[in-house]
Amino acid sequence: MKNKDNQGELWEVFIQSKAGQPYKHAGSVHAYDREMAIDNARDAYTRRGEGTGLWVVKSKEIVAVTPNEEGYFFDPANDKVYRHPTFYEMPEGVKQM
Amino acid sequence: METKLKYYLQIADNALILSHRLSENCSKGPFLEEDLATTNVALDLIGCAESIYEEVALQEGKGKLGDYFAYRRKENEFLNVILVEQPNGDFAHLMVRQFFIDVFHFYFFTELMNSMDDFLKGLAHKTIKEVTYHLKRSSEWMVRLGKGTEESKHRTQVAINKFWKYTHEFFIENIVDKAMLDNEMGVDLAKIQKDWKLKVDEIFYLAHFSIPSNDFSIKGGKDGVHSENLGYILCEMQFLPSKYPDAIW
């Protein structure tokens, strides 16, 4: 048995709340295989009409920034105001940008 | 009671009693996600049963509430098939019982969408979405158990051998089924039996299970003759309304 607590691998769950919207991280589930992962994600996170789309991906397949990389990954953006499009007026009626 | 309402109760009682059995498993699943998933199936089924009981109460017109049919009827007034009363046993038993009934429900509600009765037609359109998912899940589990370990395969085949004799009852046409088929409100059980067998064969092939050769059949539930298990279920389920008949939320 690969996993000593016998509940399968960990999978991350992403939900799309409406067509055209980005997928957002909702949480995680345990499962033995792909079918079980998407079923468990459905049962745990979308039973009350939360979504129109659902992704699951093995947690170990996600590439993430480690805490000791945070400094040189993110800090250089802080003092460069010209990188942010804050000088434009948002047209009326645009809800998502 | 009118034939049509008895037909309604056959459908509702299958859902209610199976839902009760599944609810017994709540907090006893092998792990959290699976526990939640099985309990969700129980919730779908009790929702289905409740909507039917409300309709029976309405059409009967005797001033009863839907709850009456769950909480005040006696054992011999329940019209569910005997398979749904069978105890959960181990996880393989729970899932084999679920698979057999899910295949039946899938083809039953698919056919029922063509009913000439507006209520049954509406019920079928709503319920088919739920049972399609139930069938997907239990079919996947059958294949997973069959291709898992020697032990999972063995335990599941034991459960198949044990429950096989209860499956024939789904397709035995009683007076109610016949009358409802004749007036185009009910379904043709002979057709559903063929579809059921094909689906079971397909999944068993994928999962490497064998069909039991024994065609001995246990029946009677649809006419109110049950196994000893139903009495215990009702004893627990009806305890509160029996002891405190006027209790309300």
Side-chain angles (χ1 to χ4, degrees):
Chain A
M1 197 60 65
K2 279 181 205 154
N3 192 325
K4 69 178 186 327
D5 60 9
N6 200 14
Q7 52 188 350
E9 288 185 281
L10 197 62
W11 302 67
E12 299 301 321
V13 180
F14 299 85
I15 298 175
Q16 185 190 41
S17 58
K18 273 191 280 183
Q21 298 277 302
Y23 282 71
K24 285 186 181 165
H25 186 234
S28 56
V29 290
H30 290 96
Y32 301 148
D33 53 44
R34 298 157 64 95
E35 289 75 26
M36 195 197 284
I38 202 92
D39 290 355
N40 286 351
R42 180 260 191 197
D43 282 326
Y45 293 105
T46 67
R47 283 248 324 171
R48 291 165 196 85
E50 292 91 337
T52 55
L54 190 59
W55 288 347
V56 288
V57 60
K58 279 184 190 171
S59 305
K60 70 178 185 192
E61 302 292 347
I62 289 181
V63 182
V65 176
T66 61
N68 57 15
E69 288 172 329
E70 276 172 17
Y72 67 84
F73 255 85
F74 302 124
D75 289 352
N78 285 347
D79 57 353
K80 299 182 179 63
V81 70
Y82 48 84
R83 289 187 178 177
H84 300 278
T86 52
F87 304 103
Y88 299 93
E89 299 261 329
M90 280 280 279
E92 274 182 43
V94 175
K95 293 189 180 105
Q96 289 290 327
M97 192 81 176
Chain B
M1 181 181 269
E2 196 192 332
T3 301
K4 187 171 73 167
L5 299 186
K6 281 190 181 166
Y7 195 74
Y8 286 12
L9 288 179
Q10 286 183 186
I11 303 169
D13 292 346
N14 280 343
L16 178 74
I17 301 301
L18 183 59
S19 171
H20 181 84
R21 276 297 188 217
L22 294 175
S23 73
E24 290 175 348
N25 199 62
C26 182
S27 83
K28 295 177 185 167
F31 56 97
L32 180 66
E33 287 84 348
E34 178 49 46
D35 195 286
L36 198 59
T38 290
T39 311
N40 275 336
V41 175
L43 282 172
D44 286 344
L45 291 169
I46 202 168
C48 171
E50 192 200 8
S51 70
I52 300 172
Y53 291 144
E54 297 290 342
E55 183 66 18
V56 174
L58 190 73
Q59 291 196 22
E60 198 186 41
K62 292 184 179 170
K64 290 174 193 158
L65 296 173
D67 278 357
Y68 171 90
F69 296 96
Y71 293 130
R72 300 296 169 89
R73 280 184 304 155
K74 296 187 176 64
E75 201 178 331
N76 61 1
E77 295 171 287
F78 276 80
L79 305 177
N80 56 281
V81 294
I82 295 175
L83 178 66
V84 297
E85 306 161 14
Q86 298 311 303
N88 291 333
D90 64 12
F91 187 72
H93 280 77
L94 185 146
M95 199 49 75
V96 169
R97 185 187 62 197
Q98 191 64 39
F99 172 67
F100 285 155
I101 199 88
D102 287 346
V103 180
F104 173 71
H105 270 162
F106 178 77
Y107 292 112
F108 179 84
F109 286 111
T110 300
E111 284 297 308
L112 201 62
M113 288 196 281
N114 304 315
S115 173
M116 296 297 281
D117 180 64
D118 285 342
F119 173 73
L120 289 176
K121 189 180 176 128
L123 175 78
H125 274 92
K126 181 170 178 296
T127 309
I128 192 67
K129 290 180 187 161
E130 294 171 349
V131 300
T132 302
Y133 179 71
H134 299 168
L135 178 59
K136 171 186 190 290
R137 209 177 84 81
S138 58
S139 302
E140 287 167 5
W141 262 115
M142 291 299 284
V143 175
R144 195 174 288 127
L145 290 165
K147 289 182 169 173
T149 61
E150 275 304 308
E151 184 173 3
S152 72
K153 186 178 180 192
H154 170 70
R155 284 190 184 212
T156 309
Q157 186 67 57
V158 167
I160 290 166
N161 297 348
K162 183 172 170 189
F163 286 152
W164 188 252
K165 58 184 172 289
Y166 297 102
T167 60
H168 314 298
E169 190 189 5
F170 301 161
F171 313 110
I172 296 172
E173 190 179 82
N174 64 12
I175 298 172
V176 173
D177 295 320
K178 172 134 191 4
M180 290 296 281
L181 178 61
D182 289 346
N183 63 24
E184 295 179 43
M185 290 197 250
V187 305
D188 181 358
L189 290 172
K191 178 178 187 309
I192 292 177
Q193 184 167 23
K194 281 187 197 133
D195 293 338
W196 186 89
K197 184 70 179 16
L198 275 175
K199 185 60 161 180
V200 170
D201 281 345
E202 176 200 331
I203 299 298
F204 278 20
Y205 173 78
L206 293 172
H208 310 304
F209 290 129
S210 48
I211 300 257
S213 53
N214 187 350
D215 265 346
F216 173 67
S217 156
I218 293 180
K219 52 187 184 282
K222 286 160 73 171
D223 297 312
V225 183
H226 293 278
S227 68
E228 72 277 16
N229 295 298
L230 186 63
Y232 292 101
I233 291 174
L234 296 184
C235 190
E236 185 179 354
M237 195 172 78
Q238 298 180 336
F239 167 80
L240 200 124
S242 300
K243 188 162 188 196
Y244 305 102
D246 300 322
I248 51 169
W249 289 103

